[in-house]
Amino acid sequence: MLTYEPGDSVGHRVGARSKLLLQAAFAGAAFAHTDPVGLAALTGLALALLALAATPPRAVFAEYRGVLPFLAAAPAIESFRLGAPWVDPAAAVGPALAAYRTLLLLALVAAYVRTTPVRESEAAVARLVPGKPGRLLGLGVGLVFRLLPVLQADLARTREAMAVRLGDRRPLRERIRLVATAGLTRALSRTDRLAVALRARCLSWNPTPPEATFGRADALALLLAVALLAWAAWDVWPALGVGG
Amino acid sequence: MSTATEDVDLVGEEIAANIARAALFAALTGVFAYVSFQLPVTSVPFTLQVLGVFLAGVFLGPVWGVASMVLYVVAGAVGAPVFAYGSAGLGSLFGQWGGYLWSYPLAAGIVGIGVHGRGELADPGHVGLGRLVGAMAAATLVIYAFGTLGYAIVGDVSLVTALVAAALPFVPAEAIKAAATVAIVRSDAVTAR
């Protein structure tokens, strides 16, 4: 499972907000340059960023094993023709490039998750969205991160208990109902305790946030993001009829 | 070292309780994204995420149901592994299946309004079968419209291909999830608080 790995790589030192911005800029550039040359350049950049974040490409592939067949489905279906010669490879080029682009974006996600602690992601959300909505969003996101393993263990126990009692031979609808009911009752029983615990700890609108720093690595990440956005705009502007 | 002293502005009881429930349903949806079942005939693996969307709408109502799904999407965007098969991140929202994720808050809102109307929250156990099924059918339609369109645009394929690759194989599963939701709501095992 994709989780934070402690370390001291460059990727670990860059702030969460800079990394999120860099990801958005990378996505923008990838959408503006979905051609073999553009994607080749972005592949180089992605590999460099993975290396800086101490995330081997092998780990990325292992992480997304389940997703790869679905990515390959679109080009395969698009190249299929109802009639001779049955397969039209030219039609698969566009979808294949798009699928590859998705893979590049997912690789950066893996690097982000492996180098960013939950606390920082939470604070980044609260800082990006101002005021009370931002506080609620940050608080909620932090709770989701922390509740996820708890509920996952609940559900794993349920499925195990079902399997032991031969429940996995029941019809599909029945199995889904059992798993969902167990998950829901556990979640609801945790809700009340969580709400009491939040109030007992004086849940406030104005907590003390972790310190925000802006170092040299952040400046470089910011510069790279701006460069990527400029590169994306370079192609998109003339197409929109603005300038040029 | 200096210490800042400010007035503490406490969060009210009702909001604290609601944010706890919203976060729990968001996390539950995230956990459902890992649980994969296989359809008997086509053996397409599917996850239970949409069940989380239905349940959030039914049990939290339109306002906090939407809030819960927004939490789910934002938490996934900043790196909680809550999307299908444990993926996450900003890139997922702009990836091939991003359309599905964008639709969840809207779909939870539709289920919430369909089941509870605009006023006070009703007891889901006493809501008519027609309303429950109708609300979930409308939500499913919205989810698949967003999902298919997103898949076609981002994946650079025709709408037909998108339907074949990303929607049709999963529709039977949605019917099963809707049936499961009705069964859960009608059973005595779960009582909404």
Side-chain angles (χ1 to χ4, degrees), chain A residues 68-158:
Chain A
L68 294 178
F70 290 95
L71 272 179
I77 294 173
E78 191 77 343
S79 65
F80 180 71
R81 289 284 172 274
L82 278 178
W86 296 102
V87 178
D88 175 12
V93 172
L97 287 175
Y100 184 67
R101 176 181 62 198
T102 302
L103 190 64
L104 282 184
L105 296 181
L106 286 177
L108 285 203
V109 171
Y112 173 86
V113 175
R114 284 169 59 103
T115 57
T116 317
V118 177
R119 191 166 37 89
E120 280 190 30
S121 297
E122 191 183 328
V125 172
R127 286 198 183 100
L128 285 173
V129 183
K132 288 188 174 180
R135 165 71 178 133
L136 280 187
L137 206 57
L139 175 67
V141 166
L143 286 177
V144 171
F145 267 104
R146 292 182 173 91
L147 290 170
L148 202 59
V150 178
L151 294 185
Q152 218 166 4
D154 277 352
L155 230 55
R157 273 197 296 275
T158 307

Side-chain angles (χ1 to χ4, degrees), chain B residues 38-97:
Chain B
Q38 286 202 337
L39 279 178
V41 185
T42 56
S43 80
V44 175
F46 66 92
T47 65
L48 291 186
Q49 268 159 304
V50 175
L51 186 62
V53 179
F54 290 161
L55 291 176
V58 169
F59 283 98
L60 300 181
V63 177
W64 286 98
V66 172
S68 167
M69 287 303 111
V70 169
L71 278 184
Y72 169 74
V73 173
V74 174
V78 299
V82 289
F83 298 153
Y85 310 107
S87 73
L90 217 51
S92 303
L93 290 179
F94 301 102
Q96 227 106 323
W97 298 277

Side-chain angles (χ1 to χ4, degrees), chain A residues 153-166:
Chain A
D154 277 352
L155 230 55
R157 273 197 296 275
T158 307
R159 292 196 95 179
E160 204 176 316
M162 259 174 73
V164 168
R165 293 166 179 78
L166 297 184

Side-chain angles (χ1 to χ4, degrees), chain B:
Chain B
M1 201 176 141
S2 64
T3 316
T5 47
E6 290 171 45
D7 284 333
V8 173
D9 183 6
L10 288 181
V11 177
E13 281 197 18
E14 202 187 324
I15 292 184
N18 276 322
I19 192 78
R21 302 179 69 177
L24 265 156
F25 272 88
L28 191 63
T29 309
V31 173
F32 281 163
Y34 284 90
V35 186
S36 94
F37 289 93
Q38 286 202 337
L39 279 178
V41 185
T42 56
S43 80
V44 175
F46 66 92
T47 65
L48 291 186
Q49 268 159 304
V50 175
L51 186 62
V53 179
F54 290 161
L55 291 176
V58 169
F59 283 98
L60 300 181
V63 177
W64 286 98
V66 172
S68 167
M69 287 303 111
V70 169
L71 278 184
Y72 169 74
V73 173
V74 174
V78 299
V82 289
F83 298 153
Y85 310 107
S87 73
L90 217 51
S92 303
L93 290 179
F94 301 102
Q96 227 106 323
W97 298 277
Y100 286 102
L101 300 174
W102 290 106
S103 74
Y104 288 167
L106 192 61
I110 290 173
V111 174
I113 288 190
V115 172
H116 297 281
R118 299 172 66 88
E120 287 276 296
L121 290 196
D123 178 359
H126 294 131
V127 174
L129 185 67
R131 279 187 86 158
L132 271 177
V133 173
M136 284 189 286
T140 309
L141 208 64
V142 168
I143 291 171
Y144 277 86
F146 271 64
T148 311
L149 217 59
Y151 194 90
I153 294 171
V154 177
D156 193 17
V157 296
S158 65
L159 270 179
V160 178
T161 305
L163 268 177
V164 172
L168 290 182
F170 302 103
V171 170
E174 301 315 323
I176 299 176
K177 287 178 222 174
T181 310
V182 172
I184 292 166
V185 169
R186 293 289 170 96
S187 77
D188 294 332
V190 179
T191 45
R193 269 159 270 204

